[in-house]
C-alpha cells in the first residue's frame, strides 16, 4: 500500500513539474510576443531605419531571459551567451547605477513604456549607444525592452 502511494506521489510530482515547465515556457512565449508587438509598433510609428534589439529580463533575478532582433549583428554576441547575464555584463561600470535606477523605475511603473539611454559593450570592446524603451509585465514576472540603435 505504501509503495502504491509513493508511486502515485511521484507521478503527481512529475505532472506538477511538467506544468511548471509549460507555464514558464508560456510566460517566455508571451514575453516574446509582446516584444514582437512592440517592435512592430515602433517600426510603424516612426518609420525609421534603425537597428532594433530586444531583451527580456527577469524582474526577480535581474538576469536576461532572452535577447533577439539585431542583437548579434550589432554586438557580435550570440543570444545564448547573454542568457543568465545582467546589465553589469553589458554596460560600462560608470553607467550601471543609472541604468539600474531606470530599471527600478520601470518595475514600479504602470501601463506605459519608460525610456532611457545607455551604451553597450560589443564583443570587440567598442561601445554602441542604445535608446531603450522598457515595461514591466507582472503576468510574466519580467521586463521587456526594445533598444534602437541609429544606423550610421
Amino acid at each position: 500500500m505504501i509503495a502504491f502511494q509513493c508511486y502515485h506521489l511521484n507521478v503527481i510530482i512529475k505532472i506538477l513539474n511538467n506544468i511548471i515547465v509549460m507555464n514558464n515556457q508560456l510566460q517566455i512565449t508571451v514575453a516574446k510576443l509582446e516584444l514582437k508587438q512592440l517592435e512592430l509598433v515602433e517600426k510603424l510609428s516612426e518609420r525609421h531605419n534603425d537597428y532594433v534589439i530586444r531583451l527580456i529580463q527577469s524582474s526577480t533575478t535581474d538576469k536576461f531571459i532572452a535577447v533577439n532582433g539585431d542583437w548579434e549583428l550589432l554586438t557580435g554576441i550570440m543570444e545564448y551567451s547573454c542568457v543568465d547575464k545582467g546589465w553589469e555584463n553589458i554596460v560600462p561600470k560608470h553607467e550601471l547605477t543609472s541604468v539600474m535606477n531606470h530599471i527600478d523605475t520601470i518595475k514600479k511603473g504602470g501601463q506605459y513604456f519608460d525610456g532611457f539611454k545607455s551604451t553597450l559593450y560589443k564583443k570587440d570592446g567598442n561601445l554602441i549607444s542604445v535608446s531603450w524603451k522598457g515595461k514591466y509585465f507582472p503576468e510574466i514576472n519580467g521586463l521587456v525592452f526594445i533598444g534602437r540603435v541609429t544606423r550610421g
Side-chain angles (χ1 to χ4, degrees):
M1 181 70 162
I2 293 176
F4 180 74
Q5 290 174 338
C6 287
Y7 170 77
H8 283 295
L9 184 59
N10 284 334
V11 169
I12 290 170
I13 290 171
K14 286 180 182 179
I15 291 170
L16 289 174
N17 283 335
N18 286 339
I19 290 171
I20 290 169
V21 168
M22 289 185 332
N23 188 38
N24 289 341
Q25 290 172 342
L26 179 60
Q27 289 175 345
I28 290 171
T29 300
V30 168
K32 286 184 177 183
L33 290 172
E34 293 286 352
L35 282 173
K36 282 289 190 189
Q37 178 183 359
L38 181 58
E39 179 184 0
L40 290 172
V41 168
E42 284 283 309
K43 284 184 176 183
L44 290 173
S45 67
E46 303 210 7
R47 302 225 184 258
H48 59 80
N49 193 26
D50 296 346
Y51 294 104
V52 177
I53 55 178
R54 303 183 304 267
L55 185 147
I56 304 171
Q57 172 186 333
S58 166
S59 62
T60 54
T61 66
D62 287 335
K63 299 297 180 192
F64 303 148
I65 298 169
V67 297
N68 215 321
D70 290 325
W71 188 275
E72 186 178 348
L73 175 70
L74 288 172
T75 66
I77 302 169
M78 304 285 282
E79 178 179 0
Y80 68 84
S81 298
C82 296
V83 174
D84 286 332
K85 300 284 194 284
W87 291 94
E88 68 275 6
N89 302 109
I90 63 170
V91 298
K93 286 184 182 183
H94 69 276
E95 289 186 28
L96 185 58
T97 300
S98 174
V99 168
M100 295 311 290
N101 287 338
H102 285 292
I103 290 168
D104 286 341
T105 301
I106 291 169
K107 285 181 185 178
K108 297 173 190 168
Q111 299 296 318
Y112 304 101
F113 286 91
D114 287 331
F116 65 97
K117 290 187 179 196
S118 75
T119 52
L120 297 183
Y121 282 113
K122 295 171 53 173
K123 187 176 183 177
D124 64 9
N126 289 321
L127 293 169
I128 54 173
S129 179
V130 182
S131 296
W132 293 102
K133 288 191 184 227
K135 184 176 179 183
Y136 172 60
F137 289 89
E139 63 274 12
I140 62 168
N141 200 24
L143 296 110
V144 175
F145 296 92
I146 295 290
R148 294 176 53 205
V149 178
T150 303
R151 292 182 192 256

